[in-house]
Amino acid sequence: MSENRMAIRQVELEVLRYNPETDDEPKFQRYSVPCKNEWCILDALNYLKDNLDPTLSYRWSCHMQVCGSCGMMINGEPKLACKAMVRDYAGVIRIEPLSHFPIERDLVAVADDFMAKLKRVKPYLIPGEKRSLADGEYQQTPEQLARYRKYAMCINCMLCYAACPEYGLTPKFIGPGAISLAHRYNQDSRDGGRDLRQEEIATNEGVWECTFVGACSEVCPKHVDPASALQQVKVASTVDWYLEHFMSWVKK
Amino acid sequence: MAKSNKPIIWGTFAAGGELVSFVTPVLILLTLLAAVGHVPDMLGYDALRGFAAGWFGKLVIFVVLFLSLWSQAHRLRITFYDFGARADTLVAIMVYALAAVGSIATLVFLARL
Amino acid sequence: MSRRPYLREVSRTAWFFKRPRYLRYMAREVTCIFIGIYTVILLVGVYRLSQGRAEYEAFLMALQRPASVVFHVAALAFALYNSFTWFNVAPKALPIQVGEEFLPDSVVAGGHYVVWVALSLFILFWAGVL
Amino acid sequence: METIQTDVAIIGAGGAGLRAAIALAQADPKLRIALISKVYPMRSHTCAAEGGAAGVIKADDSMKQHFDDTVGGGDWLSDQDAVEYFIHEAPKELTQLEHWGCPWNREADGSVAVRPFGGMKIQRTWFAADKSGFHILHTLFQTSLQFDNIQRYDEFFATDLLVDDGRCQGLTAIEMRSGQMRCFLAGAVIIAGGGAGRMFPFNTNGAIKTGDGMALAYRAGVPLKDMEFVQYHPTGLPNTGTLLTEACRGEGGVLLNKDGYRFLQDYGMGPETPLGKPVLKTMELGPRDRVSQSIWHEIRKGRAVKTPWGDCVWLDMRHLGEKKINERLPFVRDISISYLGVDPVTDMVPIRPVVHYMMGGIHTDINAATPLPGLFAAGECACVSINGANRLGSNSLVEILVFGHRAGLSALEHARGVGRSSEAALSAQAEAAQGRVRALFMRNAGKESIAGLRKEMTDTMEEGAGIYRTQEGLAKTCDKLSELRRRYADVALHDKTNVYNTDLLSALELGSMLDCAEAVAVSGRERRESRGAHQRLDFTARDDANYLRHSLAHYRGSEPPNIDYRDVVITTSPPGVRDYSGAKK
Ligand SMILES: Cc1cc2nc3c(=O)[nH]c(=O)nc-3n(C[C@H](O)[C@H](O)[C@H](O)COP(=O)(O)OP(=O)(O)OC[C@H]3O[C@@H](n4cnc5c(N)ncnc54)[C@H](O)[C@@H]3O)c2cc1C
Ligand code: SF4
Ligand code: F3S
Ligand code: FES
């Protein structure tokens, strides 16, 4: 909390701009922004928009690392702009929209693909045993909760998609974020929908497109560890497969 | 969308990867010693032939070679793709055929011992 | 409609130069070339063994060619790299829950390392090196 | 202009909007539901709520006690019939969320766990670590994905309501990705647009909380109720305003002045409770308005902690220990370290009161219906009113569920009973709305900047309509806001691109905020008493004889609003004294 957090320095931002109505392709634009040391990159962008160039477009809302809007590439790494601190960067800071997604405009990426995939993996509770409100809550021990809680922390920021090269090479890959959420429900003691979700994720476009690069987990701002979720789905699907084909008399 | 058949091979990839990680470095070390002229006792003709003659020795040799072949074949398939060779089906047929030939050859050679 | 989303193409053949972590991943993947070739060498060894003493001894002699020595050194390096990367991520595929906590990755990976060292020593001992 | 036909249109896909959509989808699978939101649903600000949601489930609790805490906490300005309905629905809604998969924290036996919260006499706050709102929002959003009749319009910015034949029958919205205006025709419209805290400079609210929903209804002739009641949360990070949840104190954190003294005991909330053993409704667990006001007084008395970001007091959580902090307040720790560089495990955190929540909003009745037929409202943008003059922490997340659900059902009932009046008239209105936005977009001259006007607005709000108010200060703020609204007509737009034009949207949001801000300031100027969050230095006492009434601000175009009043509904609890001292219990 020392005084030098308030210190101001000129920071060079190199921002990728793309205006679909006038540009054929994106190009970098340089800005010099007076930044306080305690600022995050989002503060710098907000300053820029308010004072230097009101035409810059980007998404943000919560400024507290929870709404998932402000994902962008900062010096080539997918980051939340409200989590990346200016003081952690030296020299020119390069800001681009999330990799692997089409650019709508400036730093705004088209999220349609991710939204469609999210819906596809059925990320909602499909109850194993139906309960009415009058029956009260399902019982779930802290231990059972811990089994899936980590995967429930996903803020849908899509950073993992921007990091995963396999998604970049094969866009039909359902991808780390959505599959982790499917896994979250599969691991929930109240759920009975695993078979339905497997139809989507135990497929070639599902986990089998993942080659365990692990980049997704390295960049995830919420420590969801999608790489782990995907490998677990692979292991479980393999067990399923062998049971189904060689020991079909064993009831799952 | 149908579930994938990849688990068949992936099972051997996972098991093979685990095994290869545990034993391959030390095996390379052994043959490296042989390569620089210090043949370890066990790699001598009599010792090795004796080991491979028993059913246990045969089993060990087969498991190591089989899992190693299939896991590396699977990884090779992915590597081709990662280097930009998109003919995945062709690559898959090729690498798995190699692994299959290698596995059968192992069986044949072991049977002759 | 004035929308015109712009898709930046990903290079199919050079994408892994973009980030150091992608290079590390590719280094892990290409270990399969070395380990694969090495497996074939072992297979040849078994073949020669099945042919008889003279053939097997010729095989051992062939191992001593300079190219073979160089290959062995490289293969050893890649195999070691493969083992490290494999053990480090092993906890991800099979996390172990104890009560409300998961065993820390370092414990699971550490367990693998211990087994690895013990097994390697055992094999060296069995082979008469130690 | 493309016209979209729906049965019910919902503006806002936060907790309230999603709950309404699911209620509708479940009620009738053939219904066409349009869910319109300026951000993707899971970006809505409900995700920022940390602490939890109140509902009676434990054996030591009772409906009566939740009722008393809520009504007393609201300084008797709550409508008690609404509170009655609210507390009875609360446990059902929270259980429903549990059935939808919400990861509530649990007791060892597997039942849902509850935690203490400010102003609540009994532990009744359900929580999911310190991410309760996040989990509620994502549970609702993910649940909504299974209903194919919820047609989502993500990143559509609502600009105007369409009213014909005395009924609300649709709206216009800008599709942000193309910049095109769309006309939604609907049997009923629900507004769930969230709060308006961004009209203040220092707030816990996300960028989207600009009061658009309130302004839409207000301009369409629906009064805004109790707008003078703006909640300050006691514990905001002094530089960014980021909230440190009330659970910090619920778990045992304490407030200290610069001398390390727990000053709340000097303001009627004592006696001091032992460290690490918080007592409900006492000291640090007093209600937000009281705690925030005490901090203000303490700072006034010169016992503030001086920081580069202004005068603060300390929030001390060190005695909770690293394990408990990591377990119960992990996010608080993260946020303090990254934005302030202070680790609550080892250091005290400087904090100051921060604008947090709007008690006031669109005037609705207990059925979530506004006086304009066909228009319903729920969530923070609405005022039912259960929160009265001061909302209790953890009541709002429940309110969005209870009244979101209610709004859905009420809208359905209305939509079933009516037909469209005249599509021609509605289209003409939509064209006119489009024309106004076009005009703003095309304007070339214009000497006012959006950022400049916004800054003047937030400054004057803090100065005149902040935590303590006076007649003079409020009058000045009212004048300033009139002036700013005039100058707003001359605002300049630099961005002339149709696609994702955030310059245009900022201008529209500024318009909403200015309208809401004026309603706050004028309502505040007219309420000459101190009650709950509305504290006047010149009228320090509560005045039930004259002001046990809701204020209603009526829009009058470029003129300041006209204020009239409406009686509070009192069923069983006559106005009493708010007692937050532990001593007399
Ligand atoms: C930091 C923080 C912590 C909190 N903690 C708690 C807590 O612990 N317990 C508690 O009970 N309450 C808490 N609250 C309060 C509570 O979270 C909010 O009051 C509640 O979430 C509001 O929900 P909502 O659905 O009304 O609005 P929001 O979730 O804000 O949603 C508003 C929606 O309206 C849409 N919208 C707005 N304008 C337009 C437009 N022009 N066109 C189209 N769409 C539009 C937005 O896109 C969004 O989808 C907290 C609030 C904050 C800020
Ligand atoms: S898994 Fe992590 S990186 Fe991926 S979308 Fe979720 S929060 Fe973001
Ligand atoms: S980076 Fe991609 S390949 Fe798999 S482990 Fe993560 S999804
Ligand atoms: S602004 Fe919400 S995550 Fe960054």
Side-chain angles (χ1 to χ4, degrees):
Chain A
M1 214 207 4
S2 54
E3 286 289 333
N4 74 9
R5 299 189 131 249
M6 306 286 283
I8 293 181
R9 87 186 144 99
Q10 268 327 108
V11 174
E12 300 292 308
L13 297 185
E14 213 165 62
V15 183
L16 195 67
R17 302 294 310 267
Y18 173 62
N19 181 333
E21 288 168 20
T22 56
D23 301 344
D24 282 329
E25 56 182 34
K27 52 183 181 296
F28 283 101
Q29 187 168 350
R30 210 28 124 90
Y31 300 94
S32 180
V33 180
C35 292
K36 282 192 195 155
N37 250 337
E38 62 174 13
W39 276 6
C40 55
I41 298 287
L42 178 59
D43 292 321
L45 288 177
N46 285 344
Y47 181 93
L48 196 172
K49 183 164 179 73
D50 280 353
N51 300 286
L52 305 174
D53 187 349
T55 68
L56 180 68
S57 287
Y58 53 96
R59 295 187 177 106
W60 72 286
S61 178
C62 68
H63 196 293
M64 56 190 284
Q65 313 169 10
V66 69
C67 74
S69 312
C70 67
M72 46 190 81
M73 308 300 286
I74 301 177
N75 281 355
E77 278 284 296
K79 296 266 186 196
L80 296 179
C82 65
K83 196 175 186 199
M85 306 308 288
V86 169
R87 59 179 177 273
D88 296 335
Y89 294 87
V92 182
I93 307 176
R94 228 170 211 241
I95 304 178
E96 300 160 79
L98 285 179
S99 292
H100 304 153
F101 295 97
I103 308 176
E104 188 77 74
R105 177 180 177 184
D106 296 343
L107 300 174
V108 177
V110 181
D112 295 356
D113 183 51
F114 172 72
M115 296 302 285
K117 283 169 176 164
L118 197 58
K119 180 174 164 94
R120 199 169 131 191
V121 303
K122 307 191 193 314
Y124 37 79
L125 200 81
I126 302 172
E129 159 226 345
K130 283 246 175 347
R131 250 179 125 84
S132 75
L133 281 187
D135 300 335
E137 77 256 40
Y138 290 90
Q139 300 295 301
Q140 182 169 70
T141 62
E143 213 172 309
Q144 290 171 321
L145 173 64
R147 240 168 93 80
Y148 71 86
R149 173 170 260 173
K150 177 158 108 169
Y151 309 111
M153 302 302 267
C154 173
I155 60 173
N156 300 348
C157 64
M158 314 193 297
L159 297 195
C160 51
Y161 285 76
C164 174
E166 300 302 333
Y167 176 65
L169 294 168
T170 316
K172 67 181 190 325
F173 174 29
I174 295 175
I179 295 179
S180 301
L181 275 168
H183 182 62
R184 169 247 179 275
Y185 283 98
N186 286 347
Q187 297 283 91
D188 191 317
S189 57
R190 298 165 287 185
D191 187 80
R194 178 164 172 272
D195 285 348
L196 288 171
R197 280 181 215 106
Q198 288 297 92
E199 292 299 322
E200 295 297 336
I201 64 172
T203 59
N204 286 343
E205 296 178 12
V207 280
W208 298 110
E209 203 60 64
C210 162
T211 60
F212 205 174
V213 177
C216 51
S217 291
E218 288 175 34
V219 303
C220 174
K222 294 288 139 182
H223 312 293
V224 172
D225 203 351
S228 175
L230 269 68
Q231 306 325 302
Q232 290 172 52
V233 174
K234 287 185 199 169
V235 171
S237 306
T238 304
V239 173
D240 284 354
W241 196 93
Y242 280 95
L243 283 180
E244 243 168 66
H245 290 83
F246 296 126
M247 289 186 271
S248 43
W249 64 89
V250 182
K251 243 187 125 213
K252 269 199 291 170
Chain B
M1 163 141 259
K3 285 193 204 172
S4 174
N5 278 325
K6 285 194 181 168
I8 329 169
I9 314 279
W10 195 79
T12 65
F13 167 73
E18 189 83 2
L19 185 82
V20 162
S21 303
F22 277 129
V23 303
T24 304
V26 69
L27 290 182
I28 299 180
L29 192 62
L30 292 179
T31 51
L32 177 62
L33 284 173
V36 295
H38 300 277
V39 181
D41 297 349
M42 227 13 241
L43 292 194
Y45 179 73
D46 295 318
L48 198 59
R49 174 117 205 173
F51 174 69
W55 67 268
F56 179 73
K58 283 194 171 57
L59 184 69
V60 169
I61 294 172
F62 178 73
V63 168
V64 169
L65 284 178
F66 175 84
L67 286 182
S68 184
L69 282 169
W70 284 94
S71 63
Q72 301 314 303
H74 182 67
R75 195 169 247 184
L76 192 59
R77 171 183 176 187
I78 292 169
T79 306
F80 265 101
Y81 188 86
D82 284 339
F83 274 113
R86 284 299 178 87
D88 187 51
T89 316
L90 187 70
V91 170
I93 292 172
M94 228 168 58
V95 296
Y96 296 145
L98 279 176
V101 168
S103 308
I104 293 167
T106 312
L107 280 177
V108 171
F109 303 152
L110 285 175
R112 290 209 209 128
L113 279 162
Chain C
M1 269 296 254
S2 38
R3 283 190 71 206
R4 210 152 50 92
Y6 184 92
L7 187 62
R8 292 158 291 174
E9 288 298 329
V10 176
S11 157
R12 284 183 181 190
T13 49
W15 59 270
F16 43 85
F17 290 118
K18 265 185 84 178
R19 307 296 304 162
R21 74 158 64 87
Y22 295 167
L23 275 176
R24 287 197 297 275
Y25 160 77
M26 283 307 257
R28 182 188 92 191
E29 294 305 280
V30 298
T31 59
C32 75
I33 297 173
F34 291 86
I35 298 174
I37 294 173
Y38 181 72
T39 310
V40 172
I41 293 177
L42 287 184
L43 186 60
V44 171
V46 176
Y47 169 59
R48 305 297 263 175
L49 186 70
S50 74
Q51 285 179 312
R53 183 181 302 273
E55 285 80 0
Y56 182 68
E57 252 140 41
F59 167 75
L60 286 182
M61 282 313 288
L63 281 184
Q64 296 193 17
R65 283 191 213 134
S68 156
V69 176
V70 171
F71 171 78
H72 267 80
V73 172
L76 183 60
F78 277 98
L80 285 171
Y81 185 71
N82 169 64
S83 299
F84 283 115
T85 55
W86 188 276
F87 296 144
N88 287 344
V89 298
K92 292 214 187 291
L94 281 176
I96 300 168
Q97 189 179 2
V98 182
E100 286 179 50
E101 309 283 335
F102 283 84
L103 277 190
D105 286 4
S106 56
V107 172
V108 181
H112 275 87
Y113 281 110
V114 170
V115 173
W116 184 33
V117 170
L119 191 66
S120 300
L121 289 176
F122 170 78
I123 292 175
L124 287 175
F125 178 78
W126 169 82
V129 175
L130 291 180
Chain D
M1 191 183 331
E2 191 184 316
T3 299
I4 296 154
Q5 300 281 354
T6 66
D7 295 306
V8 179
I10 304 169
I11 303 172
L18 283 165
R19 185 66 190 88
I22 296 172
L24 285 159
Q26 284 184 325
D28 179 355
K30 286 200 284 294
L31 211 62
R32 291 165 306 172
I33 304 150
L35 185 57
I36 299 152
S37 171
K38 66 178 174 179
V39 294
Y40 282 97
M42 63 281 186
R43 318 287 186 221
S44 302
H45 206 59
T46 297
C47 70
E50 301 172 2
V56 174
I57 41 161
K58 298 290 174 188
D60 63 348
D61 203 354
S62 69
M63 293 293 172
K64 165 112 178 45
Q65 303 201 64
H66 193 187
F67 177 89
D68 286 343
D69 285 346
T70 303
V71 171
D75 222 349
W76 278 272
L77 196 70
S78 316
D79 281 343
Q80 296 180 8
D81 54 345
V83 175
E84 204 89 57
Y85 176 75
F86 164 75
I87 54 169
H88 280 95
E89 291 301 306
K92 292 186 214 160
E93 285 298 328
L94 295 175
T95 306
Q96 177 62 73
L97 268 184
E98 198 278 336
H99 287 190
W100 284 334
C102 190
W104 297 119
N105 270 43
R106 303 286 176 155
E107 306 285 3
D109 69 356
S111 61
V112 167
V114 289
R115 68 163 34 145
F117 232 68
M120 301 271 186
K121 208 192 278 151
I122 307 275
Q123 298 199 16
R124 67 167 71 91
T125 297
W126 301 40
F127 64 103
D130 54 1
K131 288 234 185 308
S132 307
F134 165 80
H135 285 303
I136 290 176
L137 183 68
H138 280 250
T139 302
L140 287 170
F141 168 59
Q142 290 166 4
T143 300
S144 80
L145 291 175
Q146 60 190 284
F147 299 104
D148 287 325
N149 57 336
I150 299 178
Q151 187 64 49
R152 282 210 327 272
Y153 296 89
D154 296 335
E155 303 202 315
F156 277 64
F157 190 102
T159 63
D160 289 86
L161 296 177
L162 304 178
V163 182
D164 186 49
D165 190 23
R167 291 181 281 140
C168 181
Q169 301 183 54
L171 62 124
T172 52
I174 303 169
E175 181 187 44
M176 288 159 62
R177 57 168 55 180
S178 67
Q180 306 295 309
M181 189 73 103
R182 301 277 181 260
C183 169
F184 292 82
L185 295 184
V189 175
I190 300 172
I191 302 185
R198 298 294 295 188
M199 65 173 89
F200 287 85
F202 186 61
N203 65 74
T204 64
N205 285 192
I208 60 170
K209 300 197 80 164
T210 53
D212 303 349
M214 296 180 190
L216 280 172
Y218 184 45
R219 291 176 198 146
V222 177
L224 296 181
K225 184 160 72 186
D226 292 340
M227 287 296 279
E228 60 271 41
F229 298 98
V230 176
Q231 179 165 75
Y232 277 75
H233 194 291
T235 54
L237 286 186
N239 52 349
T240 53
T242 312
L243 178 79
L244 298 186
T245 166
E246 191 155 288
C248 295
R249 285 168 291 132
E251 298 294 345
V254 296
L255 295 177
L256 308 173
N257 65 16
K258 74 174 183 354
D259 308 315
Y261 172 72
R262 286 173 66 191
F263 56 88
L264 289 182
Q265 55 192 298
D266 297 350
Y267 299 93
M269 282 178 273
E272 188 170 341
T273 51
L275 206 58
K277 295 206 176 52
V279 175
L280 293 162
K281 267 183 130 177
T282 310
M283 289 294 287
E284 281 80 9
L285 290 187
R288 289 182 181 167
D289 55 343
R290 287 292 192 80
V291 176
S292 297
Q293 288 151 15
S294 309
I295 296 174
W296 187 86
H297 283 296
E298 199 64 10
I299 289 174
R300 269 276 200 85
K301 289 179 190 160
R303 298 190 209 127
V305 178
K306 301 277 174 212
T307 76
W309 311 278
D311 290 349
C312 293
V313 296
W314 297 116
L315 171 62
D316 188 358
M317 291 177 272
R318 293 173 301 180
H319 52 279
L320 302 181
E322 181 160 3
K323 185 165 182 296
K324 187 160 186 185
I325 290 179
N326 284 345
E327 201 176 286
R328 293 289 182 98
L329 304 164
F331 190 55
V332 166
R333 188 176 182 197
D334 261 17
I335 290 281
S336 313
I337 294 176
S338 81
Y339 294 136
L340 205 61
V342 176
D343 184 348
V345 170
T346 53
D347 289 295
M348 298 191 286
V349 187
I351 53 95
R352 62 183 170 114
V354 54
V355 168
H356 185 52
Y357 181 86
M358 299 291 299
M359 266 70 75
I362 304 167
H363 173 42
T364 68
D365 63 14
I366 191 167
N367 294 316
T370 72
L372 175 63
L375 184 66
F376 301 81
E380 190 170 340
C381 69
C383 180
V384 179
S385 134
I386 60 153
N387 297 312
N390 171 55
R391 168 182 75 101
L392 286 195
S394 77
N395 265 352
S396 163
L397 285 176
V398 190
E399 178 183 0
I400 62 178
L401 300 170
V402 171
F403 290 98
H405 189 174
R406 182 71 252 166
L409 299 184
S410 299
L412 176 59
E413 202 178 318
H414 176 89
R416 284 210 168 121
V418 296
R420 204 83 78 224
S421 59
S422 134
E423 282 201 18
L426 295 168
S427 298
Q429 275 187 39
E431 296 289 345
Q434 181 177 37
R436 279 193 298 278
V437 173
R438 275 274 128 197
L440 174 63
F441 181 74
M442 301 299 282
R443 188 157 59 221
N444 274 321
K447 49 186 185 306
E448 302 290 349
S449 85
I450 297 170
L453 286 182
R454 195 198 295 132
K455 173 141 193 357
E456 287 187 49
M457 168 188 69
T458 57
D459 285 351
T460 189
M461 287 305 281
E462 175 161 78
E463 217 172 286
I467 195 165
Y468 275 95
R469 303 163 170 179
T470 61
Q471 193 65 25
E472 195 197 341
L474 282 162
K476 249 169 78 184
T477 295
C478 290
D479 291 346
K480 180 75 187 178
L481 288 168
S482 293
E483 174 204 319
L484 291 176
R485 286 185 66 214
R486 231 178 7 256
R487 285 165 54 197
Y488 174 71
D490 207 19
V491 76
L493 231 62
H494 297 272
D495 192 344
K496 301 294 177 194
T497 305
N498 289 297
V499 174
Y500 221 95
N501 186 329
T502 47
D503 201 24
L504 171 65
L505 302 182
S506 307
L508 294 172
E509 289 176 338
L510 176 61
S512 303
M513 284 192 286
L514 282 169
D515 288 353
C516 293
E518 196 176 38
V520 170
V522 175
S523 307
R525 189 187 65 200
E526 296 309 310
R527 186 176 284 275
R528 295 184 177 82
E529 64 156 354
S530 288
R531 181 189 297 272
H534 175 67
Q535 291 291 316
R536 299 271 308 238
L537 292 171
D538 40 4
F539 299 93
T540 53
R542 195 173 82 192
D543 177 1
D544 288 334
N546 292 308
Y547 289 107
L548 188 58
R549 295 187 299 171
H550 300 294
S551 68
L552 294 173
H554 300 266
Y555 185 69
R556 289 194 301 160
S558 55
E559 295 293 300
N562 174 32
I563 309 289
D564 59 17
Y565 292 91
R566 177 193 162 88
D567 284 341
V568 171
V569 180
I570 296 201
T571 55
T572 55
S573 173
V577 180
R578 296 171 80 200
D579 177 18
Y580 294 102
S581 74
K584 285 169 244 131
K585 287 200 195 94

